[in-house]
Amino acid sequence: MGQYDNLKAGERGAMLSIAAYLVLSFIKLLVAYIGDSDALLADGLNNTTDVVASVAVLAGLRISRKPPDLDHKYGHFRAETIASLVAAFIMISVGLHVLLDTLERLMQPDYVQPDMLTGWTAIGSAMVMWAVYRYNLALAKRIQSPALMAAAQDNRSDGMVSIGAFIGIFGAQFGYYWLDPLAGFIVGVLICKTAWDIFYDATYSLTDGYDVDRLLQIRHTIVQDEDVLEVVEIKARLHGNQSLVDVIIRVDASLNVAQGHAITERLEKLLAKKHDIFHTLIHIEP
């Protein structure tokens, strides 16, 4: 049941992201309104959608923890991947809105110089998001969670967005007023780029795409067994953060059923220990 404990641990990262985004979005939108900054406003709007996206990730993690039932024999792990997909859709919608809004402001001749308070708010936010990113990245790698990894990528993107906003606001202090809406436009591009990366990873998993290098490593581990004469075929797919592996191996035809079963059990335990694969279906051919 270790995978369920991992999912529960992943909820801490999602809740940390939600708390950070709630606080930062409120501060950014308030300061952007007071200091009249398009870049910080775009950054704040981005964080409001990040709240929704992080809630979707949290919901996906919690649904994934449900044990197998009558019509979900493999469990509910793919709810985590679907949550990543929902987060991507939310992010792309806001990214496009920010792009259109800041593009319209760029075409207007009456630029406004933002207050430098908005710049310090942006750089402070970047520092906070970098700390959240480092925490979620380490946790996502430890529990092998695609949804939390997507959240960590979003955290990193938000930190970069805030740095970009600071640059635009700082430049506007020296008369380059167009830098502020330009920074807002770049923010929109970065939001869309991050959304696309998350969307690609989620759809790759949902269409049963699998890392070829990792599959070769699994094959190498199996073929090292002294009783395995040949790996005839090996396939794998992701089920949330779980790998499901199907293998056909060739063994000595003189082995009896009990001996063949012992080989499969040995290989299953080896793959679980070495590659964290807890569901392997092994078919034996003589």
Side-chain angles (χ1 to χ4, degrees), residues 56 60 77-89 202 206:
F77 296 110
R78 273 193 172 154
E80 189 182 358
T81 311
I82 294 172
S84 300
L85 203 58
V86 171
F89 283 130
L206 289 172

Side-chain angles (χ1 to χ4, degrees), residues 89-207:
F89 283 130
I90 293 171
M91 291 175 64
I92 195 69
S93 63
V94 173
L96 291 174
H97 173 75
V98 171
L99 283 175
L100 292 173
D101 186 58
T102 53
L103 186 61
E104 183 179 348
R105 290 295 300 271
L106 275 170
M107 297 175 67
Q108 295 176 358
D110 52 335
Y111 297 123
V112 178
Q113 179 178 317
D115 193 284
M116 196 55 203
L117 174 64
T118 60
W120 301 129
T121 302
I123 202 67
S125 173
M127 295 171 66
V128 171
M129 290 316 305
W130 179 257
V132 175
Y133 159 68
R134 296 298 302 175
Y135 176 85
N136 280 340
L137 179 66
L139 183 58
K141 286 182 177 179
R142 181 166 64 84
I143 67 176
Q144 296 183 349
S145 169
L148 192 59
M149 183 61 74
Q153 290 175 353
D154 191 24
N155 298 151
R156 181 183 60 184
S157 174
D158 291 326
M160 294 171 60
V161 162
S162 295
I163 291 174
F166 172 78
I167 293 172
I169 295 166
F170 185 74
Q173 307 305 306
F174 297 93
Y176 301 104
Y177 303 125
W178 49 269
L179 269 178
D180 183 52
L182 178 62
F185 182 83
I186 294 172
V187 165
V189 173
L190 290 174
I191 295 171
C192 291
K193 173 62 168 57
T194 303
W196 168 255
D197 291 341
I198 295 172
F199 173 82
Y200 178 84
D201 289 342
T203 52
Y204 183 77
S205 175
L206 289 172
T207 54

